[in-house]
Amino acid sequence: MFTHSIRRRLVIGSAALTATALALAGCGRSSDSPDAGSQATTTVSQGPATGNLTVWAMGTEGENLPKLMEQFKQANPGVNVTVTPIPWDAAHSKFTTAITANTLPDAAMVGTTWMGEFADLGALDPTPQGFDNSGFYPGALDTTKVGGTQYGVPWYVETRLVFYRKDLAAKAGFSTPPTDWDGLKAMAKAMKDKAGAKYGINLQPGGTGSWQTVMPFAWSAGANITGDDEKSFTFDTPEMQEGLKYYQSFFTDKLAGTDLPPNQTEAQFVNGQVPMFISGPWMAGSVAKAGGDAIKPNIGVFQLPKNKTATSFVGGSDFVVFKSSKNKDSAWKLVKWLSDAKTQASWFKMSSDLPAVKSAWQDPSIASDPLLPVFGKQLDDAKAPPAIVNWEQIAAQFDTEVEKMTKAGQSPADTAKAIQTKATQIGAGGS
Amino acid sequence: MRRTWWIYLIGVLGLVAVAAPFLWMVLGSFKTQGELLRVPPTWWPQDATTQNYDDLFSKASFPRYFVNSALVALVVTAGNLTFCSMIGYALAKLRFKGRNALFIVVMATLMIPGMVTFVPLFVLVTNAGLANSYPGLILPFLVSPFGVFLMRQFFLGLPDDLMDAGRVDGSGELGIFARIMLPLTRPALATLGILTFLGSWNNFLWPLVIAQTEDKYTLPVALALYSTGQNAQNYGLLMAGAVVVVLPVLVMFLAFQRHVTKGIAITGLK
């Protein structure tokens, strides 16, 4: 019912909405336009949080957050928190219209790829002093930084690993997972030749979101999306080409297929047709749902293989306070409480969202899990694209060019060049 | 005889094409997530479960979403039937200064895509203090330019003689409209009613944006909230929710459909 393409249409549509609204208003929204309290909060006062706070959170997080808020209210008896859950499908539209009409809540969970846009619209309050930023995973912390200023904090994280069928890997002669690029390739080949798989590994042949799987290889080869200024693009480099070439080689060697039906990753993993894929922590649950208890002991994960580095993608969500909030001091207290290691661990138990705070991973509920510690290790080397306003548009072009490369045999050099040209045409955006 | 055989075959094929996805949705709502994703897919639920419906109805506010949706859709439909027919009648049958200019204004608003007016409308409604209220959900849709256009065109087709006859018999203008002309537009009203109800019932973006707290959410918004995650979707819940969302629409259509076919017969006589 709500497919990826519809979601994308909504996102693109809402971007158009905002643009139109700004045009109709006759003036761009300057960074200090929200009327209430345009002064940035620099420090958070001592003492408990008070007053009313409204908070937006998406999907399951929005459903579960009220439970966590009970604990916050116990610690801060004078505060009243109202959580509004927002559907993921159109959350971006909801935020952009709310920014335009100045009907934002005090604080909210925000997708990491939206940070650049919202900060550019002048909606976010810069993070005050007194946060222990070194406690966060560095890749996650980077998602809160736009043009050198930090907005909000990372709240929860996810990263991508290689999932594999342990039983079939043993059959293919890989009792220990590979650690470098050649090893991953050899393993995919052995899965196909010796373990009876149709394809060795399930890689997305382009299309929406495929950059999240392709970019880790490019990053591992030393590529970057932008220069240090976060304005000019560096897609057309030998490093980027190397990453693209490696990705393409899985398709040219028939180790990954372009003819697989979409949304069947779990099913094909369970029936052994395609016994490897690269994805995030939620897939462990999805695979278990599709395959039942029998599959659980056979789910294995390992870190992305190494070239120059072994870098993965970091996603998740940040927690921000909006400039327009009339109760910013208490809102920041809430954010601070949320990024406390103890809160992060109890939030994991409620939501199974992985903590952005490193020390929370020592909680036994995470440390004793068979798969999760591997994600924790990968998070030490995980990156997100820079927080540039037009990222979603550029990512869409990236996905299209990757599709041409995997399906129509466009060369990695031409692909890199095409992405660079299109990204430069679109521009990083922002003021 | 041969001819009817063909017609039946085409009819059955058409029925299958229309009904199969619907049937898949209903059957899918009784499957587990694992079975829904299974390859090859199964038609009949192999281990049928009502878990999806249990999950859906256990969401504390589910009756609330249903009432919200019904209230908004019914009031919007009633408003459209009343106001669009009145305006349409005035534009088609009453002579007054600026009638054509007024009609052009109505048409002009019909030409502008809703996406363009979305944000200004939101700002307008918010500034009027109607964010997160039922009036905020209902007022902007109480009358639609399309409905006005539809009713005007239909009234144009009715003979003026009927109005003259009413006047001769001493009926007032309101009486002519309400007792003579309006009953004749039943097919147009049925069409307008179905389209408006459907549009309002399925509306997603406006209720999502205007509702600031969960207790003002409508069914489609709630359904999107509970079934779609950041990275994974609960297909079973989505199917069950879709069945529940579709049922009232189906009932509505069956209720109106009689009038539509009847209306076609009447207009055919004309």
Side-chain angles (χ1 to χ4, degrees), chain A residues 238-302:
Chain A
E239 291 84 10
M240 181 69 70
Q241 287 179 26
E242 193 184 347
L244 291 171
K245 197 176 161 192
Y246 182 65
Y247 198 78
Q248 188 191 36
S249 69
F250 282 95
F251 293 92
T252 42
D253 296 352
K254 305 273 177 238
L255 297 176
T258 54
D259 57 347
L260 294 170
N263 298 326
Q264 296 292 338
T265 310
E266 295 98 324
Q268 286 157 351
F269 184 80
V270 170
N271 68 21
Q273 272 189 335
V274 190
M276 290 203 284
F277 61 85
I278 297 173
S279 194
W282 63 91
M283 280 307 260
S286 298
V287 168
K289 255 190 190 169
D293 285 334
I295 196 76
K296 275 185 195 162
N298 285 327
I299 306 174
V301 290
F302 58 89

Side-chain angles (χ1 to χ4, degrees), chain A residues 21 29 95-104, chain B residues 119 122-124 126-127:
Chain A
R29 174 170 281 264
F95 276 108
T96 46
T97 39
I99 290 171
T100 314
N102 214 355
T103 55
L104 288 162
Chain B
V119 172
F122 178 68
V123 174
L124 205 67
T126 310
N127 288 346

